[in-house]
Amino acid sequence: MAKRQPSRRRSRLAALGLVLPMGLMGLPGAADAAPALPFTPAPKAFEQWLNSQRNWPQGQRLRFQGLAQCLDQTTRHSPYRTPVYTCLAGEVHLSGGGRHDQRCPLQRVSYFPNMKRVRYWTAQCQPAG
């Protein structure tokens, strides 16, 4: 029986140290699809969805506004990237949870549909007033 020669693509991937399981080779959309977003992928819809959430840590209340520069990276199928919907501009008002009210410029707010988690990063917060 003749020995099967590896395909050129598989050989190039192996040379890079990137050998994929055969099930993923050459099949478009083979990566698991991300669960659907619980909001329409638009800044205002994301903002409204975030503001409807009530289960923030330490009893805090968060109010997001002015979300912009948003990227929907949930529809790209890649085994190397976690699906995410992200906005790179806006602001969050923090209150409750035993803290003083604060207003913080957002550096990023992201929703990860596979984990059903929100993460946000802020610049220097100021007292709300």
Side-chain angles (χ1 to χ4, degrees):
M1 185 157 130
K3 185 175 178 185
R4 187 173 150 195
Q5 295 296 317
S7 71
R8 284 187 199 172
R9 180 175 181 198
R10 189 167 180 91
S11 297
R12 277 185 274 141
L13 290 173
L16 294 172
L18 302 172
V19 178
L20 300 175
M22 285 303 289
L24 295 178
M25 292 286 300
L27 295 177
D32 291 330
L37 292 170
F39 51 87
T40 302
K44 197 66 173 169
F46 185 34
E47 185 176 301
Q48 289 170 345
W49 180 81
L50 286 167
N51 289 335
S52 72
Q53 303 305 301
R54 300 289 179 245
N55 56 345
W56 299 109
Q58 291 101 28
Q60 287 186 319
R61 290 184 301 276
L62 280 64
R63 186 170 47 89
F64 293 85
Q65 68 182 55
L67 296 186
Q69 299 176 24
C70 300
L71 307 164
D72 182 0
Q73 296 177 328
T74 62
T75 57
R76 294 190 184 112
H77 301 290
S78 170
Y80 308 109
R81 179 177 295 213
T82 300
V84 63
Y85 185 85
T86 298
C87 293
L88 302 173
E91 133 179 322
V92 62
H93 293 257
L94 307 166
S95 61
R99 295 185 175 188
H100 296 289
D101 291 358
Q102 295 181 327
R103 184 176 58 95
C104 310
L106 283 169
Q107 293 177 326
R108 174 181 304 237
V109 58
S110 298
Y111 176 71
F112 300 89
N114 286 352
M115 298 175 274
K116 294 183 171 60
R117 302 273 178 172
V118 172
R119 293 204 53 196
Y120 65 96
W121 295 261
T122 66
Q124 188 67 37
C125 297
Q126 302 295 324

